[in-house]
Amino acid sequence: MNSQQLSLYELQQQVKSSLDDAFSLPVWVKAEISEITVNRSGHCYLELIETEQGTDSVIARCRATIWSYTFRMLKPYFETTTGQNFTQGLKVLLQAKVEYHEVFGFSLNIRDIDPVYTLGDMARQRREIIRKLQEDGVFEMNKELELPIVTQRIAIISSPTAAGLQDFMDQLHNNMHQFVFYTKLFPAVMQGSEAPRSIMNALDLIYNYEHMFDAVVIIRGGGAQIDLACFDNYELAFHVSQFPLPVITGIGHDKDDTVIDMVAHTRMKTPTAVAEFLISGALQFDQQLTELENHFIELVNDQLEENKNRLNDAADQLNQLVNQMIVAQRNRLEIAQIQLTNRTNAFLKKHQSELKQVTIETKNKTNRFVTRQNHMLSQSGNMLNFAFRKQMLKSKNKLNQCENLVKILSLETIRTEKRNLNSIQEKLRLVDPQNILKRGYSLTMLNGKIVKSVGQLQKGDLLETRLSDGTVESNVDKINKI
């Protein structure tokens, strides 16, 4: 056997020598960080991999080391430049010295890092997430939901200890308009690799009580751009875009929107801006109610004035009609009297003429015959007088019937209009605040303002309770919240 026989150590020495000759200078290497560990002394140990394009199959793997004095400079430089934690899963461009150790084998000693490469890969991933959401047809789904004008029942996703949460709650519940909002916190991790899954779990929990809320608010306080990378996550964005309630974000940053901001129904800059947005919706609705109330009062007043004018017009018209009917009946009666007088005179003249003729013809008759004729004439006068009185009585009865009918119609019309007016006055009386107090309700005031929530009260506060017949002052001794 002529082949050279080498010990394992000698073989390792030759491999190391060959690598030193071939890679005497550092080289730039593109790879993905698979694992990362920082020990107590500050040294950083990495496992780098490369996967086959289009698959997750690992086609290359090696160890790498960043010594503590280099790691203390590279880590803050990378994170401040990219706004991203130096952690596993990142694709990086590293300057490394190729090393080979007889015991530990092949490794890379990292000397420098190019954050621009990682920024490009992060931007590419972000664009890929947005493109995929658009292709899936869910990018605009949450924006298409209708947000109630008054969004009062709010599910909050935030870290319980976040300063932004406290700012949001103070701004919302202590608003100057004293609007009442009902909030429920669903705690979640708001930064780091655990954040997407934690927020999705909170969304799933809210989904079980969907009917109890008007909207979901995702908030966190301000922070470095590095803390916001968790919001550029496809699975989380997919959950938010398809959520059945409108989602409002207040992530607390003024720079580029995260993917979550893009797919949410409404994006606000800060948690306090979200609170102001919700308060403005309630204020707009309150103003609309005030306008409707004023319009209703105007309509009622106009209706009352119109009915009053109609009643006055009806009374005037009725009075005119009564006077016209009385005048007409009087005219008819006078005409009847004139006609009756004329007929009586004509009748008397006719009979007087006949009587004269009879007198001339019977001039030679006896006195007895004359007396009998005078008696007959007297009877005829009585009959005529009776007929005249009967006609007068009949006409007077007709006039009285007309007057009674006019009075009945007038009274019935006046009663109907009075009932309508009383009904309107009764409706106004029912909505009078003083009558509401008489029915057993009361108003509790603190410093001249109506108390709507126990959250406005503190122990020792002096309260004024307004009843229908006076006021009562009392001190808060104990507060029980529901």
Side-chain angles (χ1 to χ4, degrees), residues 49-313:
I49 62 172
E50 181 179 351
T51 58
E52 185 177 3
Q53 187 173 3
T55 69
D56 293 330
S57 301
V58 177
I59 59 176
R61 184 190 305 270
C62 81
R63 294 181 297 106
T65 305
I66 308 177
W67 302 121
S68 61
Y69 61 89
T70 304
F71 188 62
R72 285 196 297 270
M73 294 184 295
L74 291 185
K75 183 176 185 293
Y77 166 63
F78 176 85
E79 291 183 345
T80 55
T81 303
T82 64
Q84 171 67 44
N85 284 326
F86 188 73
T87 184
Q88 63 189 34
L90 292 178
K91 290 186 178 181
V92 291
L93 178 60
L94 304 169
Q95 187 189 57
K97 180 69 175 67
V98 178
E99 294 184 348
Y100 189 85
H101 192 273
E102 292 83 351
V103 176
F104 300 108
F106 181 84
S107 67
L108 298 176
N109 181 9
I110 307 302
R111 304 287 182 84
D112 199 359
I113 186 170
D114 184 2
V116 176
Y117 175 82
T118 304
L119 280 174
D121 185 70
M122 291 172 58
R124 180 193 59 77
Q125 290 181 358
R126 179 188 173 94
R127 290 194 301 269
E128 181 64 21
I129 291 174
I130 294 173
R131 182 192 62 78
K132 189 174 181 182
L133 290 170
Q134 291 173 339
E135 289 181 353
D136 292 342
V138 299
F139 193 81
E140 299 287 340
M141 284 184 64
N142 197 256
K143 298 181 186 296
E144 294 173 356
L145 298 177
E146 182 177 358
L147 184 68
I149 297 178
V150 182
T151 309
Q152 286 184 290
R153 305 175 302 165
I154 305 163
I156 304 171
I157 298 178
S158 178
S159 171
T161 59
L165 173 63
Q166 187 60 42
D167 293 340
F168 173 80
M169 299 295 280
D170 289 342
Q171 187 80 5
L172 190 67
H173 291 295
N174 298 322
N175 64 87
M176 62 181 296
H177 307 288
Q178 298 184 345
F179 296 139
V180 178
F181 294 89
Y182 305 95
T183 56
K184 171 65 177 176
L185 175 64
F186 293 83
V189 178
M190 300 304 288
Q191 67 182 55
S193 59
E194 297 179 6
R197 175 49 56 189
S198 180
I199 296 173
M200 285 188 287
N201 289 339
L203 287 172
D204 291 340
L205 187 57
I206 294 172
Y207 178 78
N208 294 330
Y209 304 96
E210 172 193 353
H211 63 284
M212 299 177 62
F213 299 104
D214 298 323
V216 177
V217 171
I218 301 177
I219 57 175
R220 57 158 286 155
Q225 188 72 18
I226 191 173
D227 298 329
L228 305 177
C230 59
F231 296 104
D232 290 331
N233 180 278
Y234 171 78
E235 190 175 358
L236 176 57
F238 192 83
H239 267 66
V240 171
S241 64
Q242 292 197 106
F243 202 72
L245 292 176
V247 177
I248 305 172
T249 60
I251 307 299
H253 60 100
D254 295 329
K255 296 184 179 180
D256 295 338
D257 292 344
T258 66
V259 177
I260 303 307
D261 289 321
M262 294 179 183
V263 299
H265 183 282
T266 302
R267 183 264 186 187
M268 306 303 294
K269 290 183 178 181
T270 62
T272 54
V274 175
E276 285 298 327
F277 172 74
L278 297 173
I279 293 170
S280 66
L283 178 61
Q284 180 183 357
F285 183 73
D286 182 66
Q287 291 173 346
Q288 291 178 354
L289 286 181
T290 302
E291 292 176 0
L292 287 175
E293 180 183 7
N294 294 334
H295 183 61
F296 176 74
I297 292 174
E298 290 177 0
L299 289 177
V300 171
N301 290 334
D302 292 343
Q303 188 67 33
L304 286 174
E305 186 65 24
E306 181 181 353
N307 288 339
K308 183 178 178 180
N309 293 334
R310 289 176 58 190
L311 183 60
N312 291 334
D313 292 342

